[in-house]
Amino acid sequence: MNVIKRHEVMKALKITLASIAGIVLAALVAVALVWGGEIRTLGTVKQVEENKYLYQMEYLAPYDLDELVESDIDSNAKLLEYVVKKVGKGIPIQMKSSQVASDDENSQVFNCTSFQAKNAESDGYLYGRNYDFFKNPTMVTVSRPKHGYASIAVSDMSHFGYSLEKLPTSIASKVLCLASIYAPVDGMNEKGVCTSIMALPHMAAQQNSGKHSVGTTVIMRLILDRCATVDEALELVGSVDIRHDATVGSGYHYMVADANGDCAVFEFDKNDGWKTMIIRKEAGKNSMLVTNHLLSEKYFTTEPDPEVGNPHSRSWWRYETAGAYLAEHDGILSLEQAQECLAQVHWKDLIWDNGTVEDTQYSNVYDQKELTLALRNWNEYERTYHFSLR
């Protein structure tokens, strides 16, 4: 090959490589523009210390709660469809929740306990919460939206496709973690507002007043992002129709508490068009407690009654036991005492007739003044994991 031909070949090769490099660069820029926030978010997903069933993530992608509300998401299927659309941006992603209906009343346990107590070690308040369910991995998500309050929230990862056998151990397997922003089961925001969910079998609220509909966990994300007090949270609740996924077989009630010590439970009247019922913390009380039976005066009973809760979940025993501990301390607890209160009503390897094993998946204590979370995973009470919003 003479010098001239060699020069022409090299010139053509350089042009080709430059073109390829330009295409690759353009593709990378396009990906960064479209999925930049999501890619950065996936880069934050990591296992918490040596616990392979506990993960944390900082959500860095934008999300639009106004659009979410206007989409009338009132079922898990619709929520997952929405998440896939927002995350995939046209690319199909497989995502499936483990929440399904069951005809077995004994399996409708979902035992949870929540309380607010005055902090014995400061002038603030503590918010305690047991999440009792099956053995699943747990996600702690921190979000700092441009138009909303920063928050730290905890999710059951089985709700968006994970299990003990399927964990986010690679970039590809981490994609489903993005759904956690829409699926908190408890959390606290930068104003100290805490909220959590407790199940009520066969009481799936189906409000239908003509307002926009929001589903089981979406209302919690709205509270965390938009509310600085209990009053604001209850006003928000009244501005939408709350519709639980009837296919799951369970309804829910919620506790919300703020940094000033105000606390309330909101639940729904199954015999009166699912109207919202509000139960406020008693005046002069330092604490408030909720488990898995209705607290409203219309339905409250001290004896187990399947019409107002699930006796199989031992809700009344947990309410009495945790209530006695709170009363013994006049509703004023240290962090260690709050953890002990939760420990007294936890589950450990509870085996049901169908062979299903239930545990307290995690126990949380939120400090509503210091904006910290102390988490114990799977009844491992010798180890507390600490997180902070500051």
Side-chain angles (χ1 to χ4, degrees):
M1 182 180 295
N2 58 40
V3 176
I4 295 177
K5 287 185 176 180
R6 185 181 301 113
H7 175 73
E8 290 176 348
V9 169
M10 292 301 296
K11 183 178 180 181
L13 180 59
K14 288 180 180 179
I15 293 173
T16 300
L17 291 175
S19 298
I20 294 174
I23 293 171
V24 171
L25 179 61
L28 291 174
V29 169
V31 168
L33 289 174
V34 175
W35 285 288
E38 287 81 1
I39 292 171
R40 291 195 301 273
T41 298
L42 295 181
T44 71
V45 176
K46 62 181 180 179
Q47 178 180 308
V48 178
E49 299 178 23
E50 77 288 350
N51 192 326
K52 69 176 184 178
Y53 301 119
L54 178 62
Y55 291 83
Q56 64 183 28
M57 177 181 78
E58 184 170 2
Y59 197 88
L60 302 173
Y63 57 96
D64 188 339
L65 291 184
D66 287 331
E67 179 188 74
L68 184 62
V69 171
E70 292 168 2
S71 298
D72 293 315
I73 305 292
D74 61 359
S75 71
N76 290 339
K78 287 183 179 180
L79 179 58
L80 291 178
E81 181 181 347
Y82 177 86
V83 172
V84 167
K85 179 181 177 181
K86 299 303 293 184
V87 172
K89 304 183 193 303
I91 296 177
I93 298 174
Q94 289 188 345
M95 187 178 296
K96 184 178 181 181
S97 170
S98 69
Q99 289 194 348
V100 294
S102 173
D103 295 326
D104 181 1
E105 288 198 8
N106 289 349
S107 71
Q108 302 285 346
V109 285
F110 313 134
N111 314 315
C112 298
T113 302
S114 294
F115 63 80
Q116 185 189 49
K118 189 170 178 58
N119 192 340
E121 301 170 312
S122 76
D123 58 354
Y125 289 83
L126 300 175
Y127 190 94
R129 187 305 199 269
N130 272 353
Y131 180 77
D132 306 328
F133 200 44
F134 309 121
K135 283 192 172 183
N136 295 314
T138 301
M139 171 66 76
V140 178
T141 301
V142 172
S143 66
R144 304 180 189 275
K146 289 183 178 180
H147 306 291
Y149 298 125
S151 68
I152 185 167
V154 185
S155 301
D156 178 342
M157 294 174 68
S158 72
H159 293 175
F160 38 94
Y162 293 98
S163 67
L164 302 188
E165 294 73 35
K166 182 179 179 181
L167 297 167
T169 54
S170 67
I171 289 295
S173 64
K174 290 178 179 180
V175 172
L176 302 183
C177 292
L178 296 170
S180 73
I181 194 69
Y182 304 107
V185 288
D186 56 80
M188 174 180 65
N189 70 18
E190 65 180 276
K191 295 297 183 180
V193 168
C194 289
T195 187
S196 57
I197 191 170
M198 279 65 57
L200 295 169
H202 311 299
M203 287 186 246
Q206 297 292 297
Q207 293 186 330
N208 189 25
S209 69
K211 304 169 186 173
H212 281 300
S213 299
V214 299
T216 303
T217 59
V218 172
I219 186 62
M220 300 179 72
R221 174 48 63 192
L222 285 165
I223 289 172
L224 291 173
D225 278 36
R226 296 183 171 181
C227 299
T229 65
V230 167
D231 285 339
E232 288 182 9
L234 296 179
E235 182 179 357
L236 185 152
V237 168
S239 71
V240 294
D241 282 339
I242 296 176
R243 296 176 62 83
H244 299 140
D245 191 338
T247 66
V248 174
S250 181
Y252 305 88
H253 57 176
Y254 305 75
M255 176 176 270
V256 59
D258 63 32
N260 299 315
D262 196 5
C263 188
V265 170
F266 59 94
E267 48 196 31
F268 310 95
D269 193 338
K270 63 178 181 177
N271 294 318
D272 190 11
W274 300 107
K275 290 181 180 177
T276 304
M277 302 182 291
I278 307 296
I279 306 92
R280 306 295 293 249
K281 183 162 73 175
E282 292 182 38
K285 290 282 188 178
N286 291 316
S287 64
M288 186 175 185
L289 168 71
V290 61
T291 54
N292 298 93
H293 57 273
L294 294 171
L295 297 185
S296 63
E297 184 178 357
K298 181 176 180 178
Y299 293 102
F300 181 76
T301 173
T302 58
E303 296 296 324
D305 183 348
E307 292 300 311
V308 298
N310 188 352
H312 295 290
S313 76
R314 303 179 192 173
S315 178
W316 283 264
W317 170 80
R318 287 182 287 112
Y319 189 80
E320 180 180 356
T321 302
Y325 189 91
L326 287 164
E328 178 185 350
H329 296 83
D330 193 29
I332 306 173
L333 305 179
S334 65
L335 168 61
E336 290 74 18
Q337 289 170 330
Q339 290 179 318
E340 173 59 24
C341 184
L342 293 171
Q344 289 193 3
V345 292
H346 80 289
W347 293 117
K348 179 65 175 178
D349 294 332
L350 182 66
I351 302 177
W352 296 96
D353 293 340
N354 62 6
T356 300
V357 179
E358 185 180 357
D359 258 339
T360 295
Q361 185 170 325
Y362 60 79
S363 293
N364 286 344
V365 179
Y366 295 92
D367 187 317
Q368 295 178 265
K369 179 179 180 181
E370 296 302 321
L371 303 183
T372 58
L373 163 62
L375 183 151
R376 287 172 164 176
N377 204 50
W378 283 12
N379 298 315
E380 295 176 356
Y381 291 144
E382 72 282 359
R383 184 61 180 272
T384 299
Y385 300 91
H386 296 276
F387 305 87
S388 177
L389 261 180
R390 297 193 189 281

